[in-house]
Amino acid sequence: MSTNAALAQIFESMADVLELTGANPFRVNAHRRVARVIESLAEDVAAIVRRSPAELTAFEGVGEASAKKIVEFVETGSVAEHGELLAQIPPGLPQLLRVPGLGPKTVRMLWQDVSIDSLAALTAALEAGRLDGLPRLGPKTIANLKESLAFMAQSSERVRLGQAIPVAEAIVAMLAALPGVVQAAFAGSLRRGRETIGDLDVLVATTNAAPVAKAFETMGATIDGSKGAQESRGSAKRGFRSEAHGSPPPLPKVTKVLASGETKVSVRLDNGMQADLRIVEPSAFGAALLYFTGSKEHNVRLRERAIAQGMRLNEYGLFPDDGEAAPQDRGVKPVASKTEESIYKKLGLPWIPPELREDRGECTQPIPADLVSLEDIRCELHAHTNASDGSMSLEELVRAAKSRGFHTIAVTDHSRSSVQANGLSPERLIEHIKAIRAVEAKVGGIRVLAGSEVDIHADGSLDYDDDLLAQLDIVVASPHASLRQEPSKATERLLAAVRHPLVNIIGHPTGRIINGRPGLEPDIAAIIAAAKESNTALEINAHHMRLDLRDSHVRLAVDAGVNIAIDCDVHAPDDFDQLRYGVMTARRGWLPRSLCVNTWDAEQLEGWLRAKRGASTVTTAKPARRKPK
DNA sequence: GCCGTTTTCGGCCCGACTGTTTTCAGTCG
C-alpha cells in the first residue's frame, strides 16, 4: 500500500475511534477530512515531508496538529496517538460502523450497555434476541439490522464506473419516458466520473411525484403494459458518435425498498447496487442536480461561499439568508435554482464540470478553458487485431475506426513475450506491417499507423530490438508481467521505457485492474518528470477496468505539462465505447485539449511522432502517405 | 481539529426518512 493510502487509513481509523468514544463531532470530521486530503494527493506525502513539512498545512483542512502526525508517520511508520486511541476500544468495534443503519450512537450504546464489540457478537445477539427491548431498537430496526448483516455477508466492493453507468442510463431512460417527467438525470459520483461507484443517484423533475416513485420502486414493472420500459430501453445506451454498439443492459430488478417517501426513494437492486431517487419540482432541478452530484466536500465549499455572501444554498435553490431555516418552505423566492449555471453564476463562479467537483481547488483556481471532452477525440492509438488477441481482422478494425470518425487508427498488436495474447514474433510483425500498409490503401480515408504494444520487461528493456521498433510508426510500451515489483524497481523499469528514444506512449503505466489487482506503484513524479523531458506521452487506458493512469496521476502530469494519450485498448468493436470513461478520468485530472494527443489533427500528431523518433535510427523508407482529409 | 473580508474564540452545511415515541433522535447522503 502506498504511504498516502496507509496514512489516510490511519486518520480514518482515528476518526472512527473518536466518534465511538463520543468526541466532538467536528473533531471527528476534521480527521476524516485530513484522510481525504491525503488520499487525493497526487504526490507521495513522504516526498512532501522530505522537501518541506511546512507545505502540509498549506492544504486546506490540514492544521498544525495533523501535520505533526503526518511527519511522525513518515519518520517512524506509525502515529502514537493512533495507537493510544485504538487502545480505548475493542478492535472489532469500528466494523460495526459499516453496518447500514448503525451509527456511532447506537454502536456506542451496544458496546457499553450490552457488550457487543464485533460483527460476530452483533450477529449472535440478534439471533438470540438479546437486543429486543433496548431503547430505540424496536422490531423493525432489529429486522433491518438482520437484513443489513445478511447483505454485508454477500455484497461485494464498489461497482466500477463502466458497470454502473449503463444501468443508470437504463433507469434514467425508463423514468424520462414517464408522463409528466420534465427532466431526469443521474447524479452523484457517477456523474463525477469516479472510477468506482457506491450507489446510483437518480434525479427527476416533475410536478407529479407519486407515479415516478412507484415506477422507481418497481423499475417500470407497473408501468402501463410494459410500454414505458420497453420504449426507453431502445434509447438507453448512447453509443459514442451516435452509434450504439451491443445491446443496452436490461433494467435491474428491485430486491428491497429501503425507503420510500414523497420525494425520496431508495432501493436495493438485484445486481447488488443501491439506487436512490430524488424527485423535485422542475424549478429546482438545477439546485437539486448540483446538490446530488456533490461531492459532499464541493457542496460544503459552495455553501460556505453562499453564507459568506449572505445567502443560503440547499437542494431547493440559492436563497437570501434571512436567518431562518428552510426558506423554500416559507415562500422565499430563490436567487437561483433552475440551472446549475445560474447558481454558480450567483456565487461568482463559472459552471464547474462535474468531474472537477472534488474540492481540489476548482472553486479557487482557474479551470482549463479547453478541458478535454469526448467530442475532441479524433484518433485511437492503441488497438489490437486478431493477429494477437483482438476479435477483429485488421480491415474490420480500420473500418470500425473510420466509422467512428477518426482521422487515424494505430494498430498496436502485442509483442512476442505476451504469449497468452498471441504476441507477434519479429517475423510476424514485419509481415503485419505490410498488411497494415495494404489495408490502409484499400480502406482509404483514414490513416493507419503501423505500431506495436511492446512489453516492457521487468528490467525495463523492450520486447523487440530497436531495429524492428524503428520500422514502426508508433510504439506503445506497456508493462504486462511482473506487476508486483518493488516500487523502486518499477520506477527504474518505467523510467527506462519512458526514456527509450523509440517509445511514444507508455500504455497503462501501472497495470492495475480496478477491484482486481493494485499493479505497480512507481514514483509517479519521477515518471512524469522523465516523460516531460523525453516527450513521451502517458496513457489513460480508457477501459473501465483499468483507468490507468488514474485521475490523481493525470492531474500531476497535467501540472507538469506532460502529453497524455486517451486510448481504448481496443480488442473488440464495443471497446471504442470505453472512451467516455477515459475522458471522464482525463477531466478529473484537469486535462486540457492541448495536452491530449488524441485531440490533435493528423498533421500535429504525425509531427509529434516523427519529432520523438527524429533522433533515432529510423531509416526505413515508408510508403508515401495521403494527406488527411 | 480547523479556521478567519466582523473572528485567535466560537463557530463549524442542510434536509429527508425511519422508527420510535407522542415530539424527536439517529442515520444517511
Side-chain angles (χ1 to χ4, degrees), chain A residues 515-528:
Chain A
N515 288 349
R517 67 177 177 231
L520 302 172
E521 289 181 355
D523 176 349
I524 201 74
I527 306 297
I528 284 167

Side-chain angles (χ1 to χ4, degrees), chain A residues 255-267:
Chain A
T255 57
K256 183 176 171 64
V257 177
L258 299 167
S260 178
E262 283 179 22
T263 65
K264 180 178 167 177
V265 182
S266 288
V267 299

Side-chain angles (χ1 to χ4, degrees), chain A residues 266-389:
Chain A
S266 288
V267 299
R268 190 168 287 150
L269 304 173
D270 60 352
N271 55 23
M273 290 186 224
Q274 179 178 323
D276 299 329
L277 170 70
R278 295 295 294 242
I279 305 168
V280 299
E281 293 283 328
S283 62
F285 190 74
L289 187 59
L290 181 61
Y291 181 81
F292 292 110
T293 296
S295 64
K296 195 172 176 181
E297 293 75 31
H298 179 79
N299 286 350
V300 169
R301 288 282 156 269
L302 294 184
R303 282 168 188 234
E304 289 172 352
R305 206 177 168 98
I307 290 169
Q309 297 177 23
M311 295 184 285
R312 169 191 289 261
L313 178 64
N314 61 26
E315 59 261 58
Y316 299 102
L318 181 64
F319 296 90
D321 190 1
D322 54 10
E324 300 280 319
Q328 67 279 1
D329 295 337
R330 295 180 285 112
V332 180
K333 188 174 157 37
V335 177
S337 67
K338 198 161 188 185
T339 65
E340 288 188 336
E341 286 82 352
S342 66
I343 295 167
Y344 278 113
K345 192 172 176 192
K346 290 289 181 188
L347 290 172
L349 292 167
W351 179 77
I352 296 175
E355 295 92 339
L356 275 59
R357 300 180 193 171
E358 298 288 352
D359 190 23
R360 293 178 185 165
E362 69 275 11
C363 292
T364 52
Q365 298 170 27
I367 293 167
D370 59 341
L371 192 68
V372 71
S373 71
L374 195 54
E375 293 70 32
D376 294 329
I377 305 296
R378 304 176 61 189
C379 61
E380 169 63 48
L381 302 177
H382 184 166
H384 299 269
T385 72
N386 56 13
S388 60
D389 62 348

Side-chain angles (χ1 to χ4, degrees), chain A residues 125-209:
Chain A
L126 280 168
E127 280 172 8
R130 283 208 295 126
L131 303 188
D132 301 348
L134 286 173
R136 305 203 64 82
L137 288 181
K140 285 195 174 174
T141 305
I142 296 285
N144 284 339
L145 283 178
K146 285 180 179 169
E147 217 264 339
S148 290
L149 287 174
F151 176 71
M152 280 178 83
Q154 53 98 47
S155 79
S156 53
E157 56 246 307
R158 289 168 64 90
V159 177
R160 286 188 294 268
L161 180 65
Q163 299 171 290
I165 278 195
V167 176
E169 286 182 330
I171 295 173
V172 166
M174 180 272 288
L175 296 172
L178 295 173
V181 170
V182 179
Q183 270 175 294
F186 59 79
S189 51
L190 204 60
R191 184 164 177 245
R192 302 201 311 278
R194 278 195 58 176
E195 61 191 37
T196 60
I197 306 302
D199 51 33
L200 306 177
D201 295 303
V202 179
L203 189 62
V204 164
T206 182
T207 50
N208 190 10

Side-chain angles (χ1 to χ4, degrees), chain A residues 395-611:
Chain A
E395 185 171 339
E396 285 167 344
L397 170 67
V398 172
R399 289 196 186 280
K402 188 178 173 183
S403 79
R404 302 271 170 167
F406 291 139
H407 64 61
T408 298
I409 173 80
V411 181
T412 58
D413 278 300
H414 287 285
S415 61
R416 59 182 163 185
S417 286
S418 283
V419 177
Q420 78 291 346
N422 192 24
L424 276 60
S425 66
E427 296 73 26
R428 287 182 64 209
L429 178 57
I430 289 169
E431 288 306 307
H432 202 40
I433 295 172
K434 291 178 190 163
I436 289 167
R437 306 290 182 223
V439 164
E440 180 182 37
K442 179 179 176 191
V443 175
I446 181 169
R447 294 192 151 197
V448 186
L449 300 179
S452 172
E453 184 184 15
V454 188
D455 270 31
I456 307 171
H457 295 156
D459 65 357
S461 64
L462 299 184
D463 205 20
Y464 290 131
D465 292 340
D466 288 0
D467 286 349
L468 183 51
L469 293 177
Q471 296 182 45
L472 298 167
D473 304 319
I474 181 170
V475 171
V476 178
S478 312
H480 285 109
S482 301
L483 295 174
R484 296 183 182 204
Q485 268 181 322
E486 287 290 305
S488 61
K489 285 195 171 157
T491 304
E492 285 174 31
R493 173 190 194 177
L494 291 174
L495 281 178
V498 167
R499 290 175 176 147
H500 192 291
L502 291 164
V503 169
N504 303 104
I505 297 171
I506 302 295
H508 48 74
T510 74
R512 66 128 173 208
I513 299 291
I514 297 171
N515 288 349
R517 67 177 177 231
L520 302 172
E521 289 181 355
D523 176 349
I524 201 74
I527 306 297
I528 284 167
K532 175 66 183 168
E533 207 171 288
S534 320
N535 197 11
T536 304
L538 301 178
E539 178 184 82
I540 297 172
N541 192 292
H543 198 286
H544 75 270
M545 292 180 73
R546 291 192 182 272
L547 298 179
D548 176 18
L549 294 177
R550 68 186 64 201
D551 52 11
S552 58
H553 291 166
V554 175
R555 180 82 184 270
L556 203 57
V558 167
D559 286 347
V562 169
N563 288 324
I564 298 287
I566 307 175
D567 285 321
C568 293
D569 198 349
V570 175
H571 285 76
D574 286 356
D575 287 346
F576 284 104
D577 294 327
Q578 299 285 318
L579 187 55
R580 59 188 304 191
Y581 308 124
V583 170
M584 285 175 122
T585 301
R587 289 165 66 87
R588 290 177 63 79
W590 296 43
L591 180 67
R593 207 159 43 226
S594 53
L595 284 178
C596 178
V597 300
N598 309 74
T599 69
W600 298 348
D601 63 26
E603 297 284 346
Q604 188 180 359
L605 177 68
E606 199 138 341
W608 170 66
L609 291 172
R610 270 201 306 267

